[in-house]
Amino acid sequence: MKCLIVDDNEMSRIALDTLCKNIADVEVVGLCQNASEAMQVLQEKEVDLLLLDIEMPNITGMDLVKSLEEIPLIIFITSKTEYAAEAFELREWVVDYLTKPVSLPRLQKAIQAAQKVVQIEAPKQFENYIFVRSSGKIIRINLNEIEYLETVGDYVRFKTATQSILVHGTIKGMESKLHHPDLLKVNRSYIVNLSKITDIEDHSILIGDKIIPVSRAHRAPLLKRINPL
């Protein structure tokens, strides 16, 4: 689980980083002293979990979460308990609420809860197809037939030649759960099937009649994967 620590107090950041090193299957991908730094890291790296201080200058932890398009799982960390009610409003993403100073057993328990959420939300995957929940049904999707996935509000659309299926989640979350050699993320909102690409021009690709932008950060990995002559 890739974790980002965000806290304006340097000693708190170092303490959390040290604790995380003692918890299995956790990788700290960054330590940020404010929300602006965190936003930058979230744009550049994959983050599964935020260890997020609430009381920070200018942009609070709560404000940061509410500003994000794609929200990782969150463990709020604060020196006060008065924010618990507001944190509850974000319960879809918040897995725990810890008060400082944070102990190793308490943090470990919170991170284990986050790991369980990821396991529960992961679609059951077989060799070339997955089952997903959509509109009260469980639907089988053949991975080879996917043209692209796109963000639609709080949902992800799985688009094939014959189906358009909305599944609750994020592109970032789906990317970590879909293991197929032809599926590649090309920006924050799209995963495409490389075998369905008609052509690539500048910073966009064409699949059927759908024009999909390719971000600057994802262009090099895309070209490496398709290996044009």
Side-chain angles (χ1 to χ4, degrees):
M1 174 167 280
K2 298 183 184 298
C3 175
L4 178 64
I5 296 171
V6 187
D7 196 310
D8 63 316
N9 184 286
E10 183 179 7
M11 294 305 297
S12 293
R13 293 194 302 274
I14 294 172
L16 287 171
D17 185 36
T18 301
L19 291 177
C20 286
K21 287 180 169 63
N22 292 284
I23 301 176
D25 300 321
V26 173
E27 175 190 356
V28 175
V29 298
L31 283 77
C32 301
Q33 63 181 340
N34 55 52
S36 297
E37 286 186 6
M39 289 178 187
Q40 186 65 33
V41 174
L42 288 167
Q43 290 177 353
E44 297 173 352
K45 297 182 179 181
E46 297 300 324
V47 176
D48 303 309
L49 177 67
L50 285 178
L51 296 183
L52 181 59
D53 184 25
I54 294 178
E55 298 174 277
M56 296 188 294
N58 299 322
I59 304 174
T60 69
M62 293 288 185
D63 292 335
L64 170 62
V65 174
K66 293 174 182 178
S67 71
L68 297 176
E69 294 181 10
E70 296 183 23
I71 304 177
L73 294 176
I74 301 160
I75 295 174
F76 275 128
I77 298 175
T78 182
S79 57
K80 299 180 181 179
T81 59
E82 63 192 57
Y83 300 101
E86 188 176 357
F88 184 74
E89 296 176 4
L90 302 169
R91 59 189 177 278
E92 182 176 351
W93 301 279
V94 178
V95 294
D96 213 332
Y97 183 100
L98 308 183
T99 54
K100 299 178 181 179
V102 178
S103 67
L104 177 58
R106 188 67 184 88
L107 180 61
Q108 189 168 27
K109 180 180 178 181
I111 289 180
Q112 287 173 344
Q115 291 170 332
K116 288 180 181 179
V117 170
V118 171
Q119 293 170 0
I120 291 171
E121 290 182 347
K124 188 176 181 182
Q125 184 163 331
F126 296 85
E127 291 184 357
N128 289 311
Y129 57 90
I130 56 170
F131 285 105
V132 298
R133 296 182 182 274
S134 178
S135 302
K137 298 183 293 184
I138 297 177
I139 302 173
R140 169 176 161 156
I141 301 177
N142 291 329
L143 298 180
N144 292 329
E145 295 178 3
I146 292 174
E147 295 181 344
Y148 57 85
L149 285 72
E150 66 174 330
T151 298
V152 182
D154 293 331
Y155 293 82
V156 172
R157 185 197 313 278
F158 285 71
K159 180 66 173 65
T160 73
T162 59
Q163 294 176 300
S164 180
I165 301 168
L166 287 176
V167 178
H168 190 267
T170 65
I171 285 293
K172 182 182 295 184
M174 295 302 172
E175 181 187 25
S176 66
K177 300 165 188 173
L178 296 174
H179 305 288
H180 190 280
D182 287 338
L183 295 177
L184 180 69
K185 185 178 178 181
V186 294
N187 63 51
R188 295 179 66 190
S189 300
Y190 284 90
I191 292 173
V192 303
N193 189 332
L194 300 179
S195 69
K196 305 296 183 181
I197 295 177
T198 303
D199 63 50
I200 301 173
E201 183 175 337
D202 294 329
H203 294 285
S204 66
I205 61 178
L206 183 67
I207 295 181
D209 58 359
K210 179 76 170 182
I211 298 174
I212 299 173
V214 178
S215 73
R216 182 171 56 184
H218 290 89
R219 180 172 170 78
L222 170 63
L223 294 177
K224 184 176 180 180
R225 287 283 292 276
I226 64 173
N227 191 26
L229 298 177

